[in-house]
Amino acid sequence: MNCSEAKNISIRAVLESFSFFPSKENSRTAFYFALDREEKTPSLSVDFIKNTAFDFGTGKSYDSISIVQAMKRCSISDALKYLEQFNFSFQEQNLKLENIPKGYEIIDVKEIQHPALLDYLKSRNVEDQKKWVEEIHYRMNDKNYFGIGFKNDSGGYEIRNAYSKICLGKKDITSIKNDSKDVRVFEGFFDFLSFKKVENYLEKETSDYIILNSVSMIHKIKNLLGNYKNIELYFDNDDAGTRAVEIIKNDLKNAEDCRLLYSGFKDLNDWLIQNNPTEERQVKYRRR
């Protein structure tokens, strides 16, 4: 990877790899706490469109390479080696589409019927949970596309199919309310669909649900979680997921890390795909 390619990698994704998440954000800009010091007011501004960062406290500007250099205190060559872990084409797509695509049009929203989308749900072992999602047909860059859509609280759609992962409209959480004192929090909607599939096996009652749609949205839910008696966290088994759990548990002592259920797997959906749960397996979990 050369410097030109590396600078196209999303700074948001790079910061997330170091478990850094925004304190506040909009469709274009986010503010983070400084990389190298303690502070009460976030001073690091990230421009998602330009893919640059600026520290108002020190006057330093950053791109994806210098962000890694600052975090790891390393040379440019070592920073490039670190950035090789990112899929360049996917990050480039995210940089352009994860915020608010200006040239898209939603053509149709309907119950999922297309065989390709039904097959994709089946491959994720959640074909029986299609009532929570919709079939979205949209036009962008003079081409027609379709995918599985999961609506967020701002009216945007998380779009997934076997080949793409984007957001149409404003990025936001999805909250599903059932007037419960309990809430379960998931990173992505496939984890939510996976949980709904095994909810009866776990002998869990229906609760409220919050789906982040990106772990970077964790800052948006802190105040919401304060209204609940019990909080269950179903995040990914990676550094970002661990950091997200720590952030919530540090503020809310009634939050429970529920990743024991799928220990050894990337996330809840990965566990469901590889270990289609049986009732006997769930009983063993409940007795731990």
Side-chain angles (χ1 to χ4, degrees), residues 152-208:
N152 66 38
D153 288 356
S154 290
Y157 282 97
E158 297 295 322
I159 304 292
R160 302 288 184 272
N161 59 38
Y163 308 102
S164 66
K165 178 181 179 180
I166 66 170
C167 178
L168 295 180
K170 183 178 180 180
K171 193 80 172 177
D172 201 355
I173 66 170
T174 301
S175 54
I176 300 171
K177 297 183 179 181
N178 296 297
D179 295 323
S180 176
K181 294 295 184 182
D182 302 332
V183 65
R184 299 184 178 108
V185 187
F186 305 88
E187 279 197 37
F189 73 84
F190 272 105
D191 295 316
F192 165 69
L193 298 182
S194 301
F195 182 86
K196 292 301 292 183
K197 180 162 185 169
V198 301
E199 194 169 34
N200 289 336
Y201 285 117
L202 296 173
E203 295 183 356
K204 297 277 191 178
E205 294 184 0
T206 298
S207 69
D208 285 2

Side-chain angles (χ1 to χ4, degrees), residues 245-263:
V245 168
E246 290 173 350
I247 290 172
I248 292 176
K249 285 179 68 67
N250 284 341
D251 289 344
L252 300 162
K253 302 306 179 186
N254 58 332
E256 178 185 1
D257 182 0
C258 294
R259 293 180 295 172
L260 176 63
L261 173 62
Y262 46 98
S263 176

Side-chain angles (χ1 to χ4, degrees), residues 68-118:
V68 175
Q69 286 185 274
M71 297 299 298
K72 295 178 67 68
R73 298 183 180 180
C74 64
S75 65
I76 291 178
S77 60
D78 286 338
L80 291 175
K81 289 180 182 178
Y82 180 84
L83 291 169
E84 285 176 356
Q85 68 180 292
F86 296 88
N87 183 307
F88 170 70
S89 60
F90 177 73
Q91 295 299 337
E92 183 180 41
Q93 180 189 44
N94 269 356
L95 180 63
K96 293 178 179 177
L97 301 180
E98 275 286 315
N99 297 307
I100 304 179
K102 295 181 179 179
Y104 80 90
E105 176 189 3
I106 293 180
I107 301 170
D108 195 15
V109 178
K110 60 185 179 181
E111 179 183 347
I112 294 181
Q113 301 170 350
H114 197 287
L117 299 183
L118 292 171

